[in-house]
Amino acid sequence: MELTDALRTTGAVRAFADEPVADATLHAILDTARFAPSGGNRQPWRVAIVRDLDTRREMASLMRTVWEEYVGANATGVTAFAFGRSIDAPPIAAPNPLLDAIDTIPVVLAVAADLRSIAMMDGNLDRPPVTGGASIYPFCWSILLAAREHGLGGVLTTFLSRAEPTIAPRLALPDDHALVATIFLGRPVHQNTKLRREPVNSFATIDRFDGDSFDA
């Protein structure tokens, strides 16, 4: 599909048809995504295609605990797990279609990054570093865009990263690697193409972050 259309209409998909994704299709998606940019072109990504149901169920169990923490914290009116915030709020049980149906999701990918190959330009600042994501998340986004080209949809979640030490042995996460994302893919039950996003002048300013709003 045309690039601008793909960029403007690729929303998160969390409900999938009961239809398998062929290995050739998944290979083609990853073959396209591998051209994503990364710092120094080091391509620090590793991908585990998780098919074992016991592994999927352990992933779902761990993510469900984090999900309930997330829902409980959000109920207080603040962003859960935001930098520097510790929300002392009870977890709230809530349905999550991805986790509740993880056995039947056509494709479950665990994405890891080799931290030895990523330059953390903000690693010495007095806050959690974030710039390392520039070398891995373009690859994750490329997976979702490439999937769209094949009529598939998906969503990226980082819930499992909060439980990385627990799931690492099951996934055989290599030393010096971080679990950066779990990606779910399949044929969408519904592909939402009318996305709601803030206009450019709400986030773009001239010269400084407190400058005049940028309008064409």
Side-chain angles (χ1 to χ4, degrees), residues 1 7 36 44 48 56-57 61 71 78 88 96 119 131-132 149 163 177:
M1 62 189 306
L7 291 170
R56 286 190 178 200
R57 290 164 187 159
S61 176
V71 174
V78 302
D88 186 17
N96 186 306
T131 58
E149 176 71 14
H177 282 59

Side-chain angles (χ1 to χ4, degrees), residues 192-198:
N192 181 19
T193 59
K194 295 182 178 179
L195 309 181
R196 292 178 295 173
R197 300 291 188 267
E198 297 297 328

Side-chain angles (χ1 to χ4, degrees), residues 15-182:
F16 305 103
D18 184 16
E19 179 182 330
V21 174
D23 282 355
T25 300
L26 179 56
H27 188 279
I29 289 169
L30 295 174
D31 193 40
T32 297
R34 68 190 173 95
F35 288 94
S38 60
N41 194 27
R42 294 185 182 93
Q43 304 167 53
W45 42 77
R46 294 285 301 274
V47 179
I49 301 160
V50 182
R51 292 173 171 164
D52 179 73
L53 292 183
D54 286 339
T55 301
R56 286 190 178 200
R57 290 164 187 159
E58 183 174 353
M59 292 168 67
S61 176
L62 292 168
M63 285 190 282
R64 186 172 287 107
T65 298
V66 178
W67 165 248
E68 292 177 357
E69 287 183 77
Y70 179 83
V71 174
N74 277 345
T76 68
V78 302
T79 301
F81 310 138
F83 284 167
R85 291 179 181 170
S86 178
I87 306 302
D88 186 17
I92 296 177
N96 186 306
L98 287 172
L99 308 183
D100 297 340
I102 199 167
D103 284 12
T104 60
I105 291 175
V107 177
V108 177
L109 306 177
V111 182
D114 185 347
L115 298 178
R116 298 166 299 182
S117 299
I118 294 177
M120 296 286 187
M121 294 300 185
D122 55 351
N124 63 333
L125 301 184
D126 189 22
R127 61 161 173 78
V130 296
T131 58
S135 285
I136 188 64
Y137 289 116
F139 170 72
C140 296
W141 179 230
S142 290
I143 290 174
L144 294 171
L145 285 177
R148 185 76 190 284
E149 176 71 14
H150 290 270
L152 305 178
V155 66
L156 178 156
T157 175
T158 56
F159 281 122
L160 192 59
S161 296
R162 191 166 174 85
E164 178 187 296
T166 304
I167 198 62
R170 168 77 78 164
L171 294 174
L173 184 70
D175 292 340
D176 300 312
H177 282 59
L179 183 64
V180 296
T182 307

